[in-house]
Amino acid sequence: LPRVKSELMDSKSSLACECGAGIGRVTKGLLLEFADRCDLIESSSRLLSAAPDHIGDYQSNKCRYFCSELQTWRPGVNKYSIIWIQWALCYLTDYDIVQFLSRCSESLVDGGWIVMKENVCSEEAFIVDVDDASITRSLAYWLDLIAKSGLQVKHLSWQDGFPDDIYPVPMLAIQP
């Protein structure tokens, strides 16, 4: 995803968003490099309340914190230069994913990006984990959901350095 990084650094976007933010690791370690401000969307109030301490005093005042489930979140139109979604969509239904990604698409400014990281399976179309109520989808399955959202994958690379016994993780850079 070097081209996406380069484009974002050149534009110094004003507003980023981390969906499924947890304590804001991606916001702290990456998004505030590209953006003046960042919105964190997280369904766990416990994790979200820990985010300002994790991000730090100076950077946390550049952030807004929203406790919301992704399937009900309404981001607005033409707001974000980058929306980062990492290991959060595996808990949504196909329908909710398509609707969510469509809303994200509408919330991008011209030239904005959605970056998505989710585990993928390779042997089956999808695998349901009843213990944590998640679904691991194949890359082909994800590409179909992304297309149904009216979006296109512009860049795809694979997360490296992970143990061999876990699912592979594609990093998808998506635009309308």
Side-chain angles (χ1 to χ4, degrees):
L1 301 173
R3 188 175 135 223
V4 174
K5 183 176 181 180
S6 174
E7 287 179 22
L8 289 168
M9 290 301 283
D10 289 345
S11 68
K12 186 60 177 169
S13 63
S14 62
L15 186 58
C17 182
E18 182 181 1
C19 294
I23 62 170
R25 286 183 184 96
V26 174
T27 295
K28 178 181 180 177
L30 181 69
L31 294 178
L32 287 175
E33 289 183 33
F34 303 119
D36 298 321
R37 298 175 298 124
C38 189
D39 289 348
L40 286 78
I41 315 303
E42 172 55 51
S43 63
S44 167
S45 60
R46 179 183 59 79
L47 293 174
L48 196 61
S49 66
D53 286 338
H54 175 75
I55 294 169
D57 289 339
Y58 174 71
Q59 297 285 60
S60 66
N61 65 8
K62 299 178 181 181
C63 299
R64 297 185 302 179
Y65 306 89
F66 299 94
C67 192
S68 175
E69 294 181 354
L70 298 182
Q71 62 267 35
T72 60
W73 179 59
R74 302 286 183 258
V77 177
N78 296 324
K79 287 178 68 172
Y80 298 109
S81 293
I82 184 168
I83 298 173
W84 191 278
I85 312 158
Q86 180 170 308
W87 293 304
L89 299 179
C90 59
Y91 299 104
L92 274 60
T93 66
D94 292 355
Y95 174 83
D96 286 334
I97 290 168
V98 170
Q99 297 303 307
F100 169 76
L101 290 175
S102 295
R103 291 190 307 272
C104 287
S105 176
E106 293 172 357
S107 74
L108 292 175
V109 297
D110 287 341
W113 291 92
I114 296 169
V115 176
M116 188 179 110
K117 290 174 64 172
E118 292 286 338
N119 296 351
V120 295
C121 54
S122 54
E123 303 291 321
E124 301 87 358
F126 62 90
I127 299 170
V128 177
D129 184 332
V130 294
D131 291 333
D132 78 350
S134 68
I135 300 173
T136 302
R137 296 164 173 90
S138 69
L139 180 58
Y141 202 115
W142 277 114
L143 296 176
D144 183 60
L145 292 175
I146 291 165
K148 287 177 179 172
S149 304
L151 293 160
Q152 297 178 356
V153 175
K154 302 289 181 148
H155 303 283
L156 184 151
S157 61
W158 293 89
Q159 182 77 47
D160 56 7
F162 280 178
D164 292 336
D165 61 339
I166 68 169
Y167 291 116
V169 180
M171 296 176 287
L172 307 167
I174 306 165
Q175 287 185 316

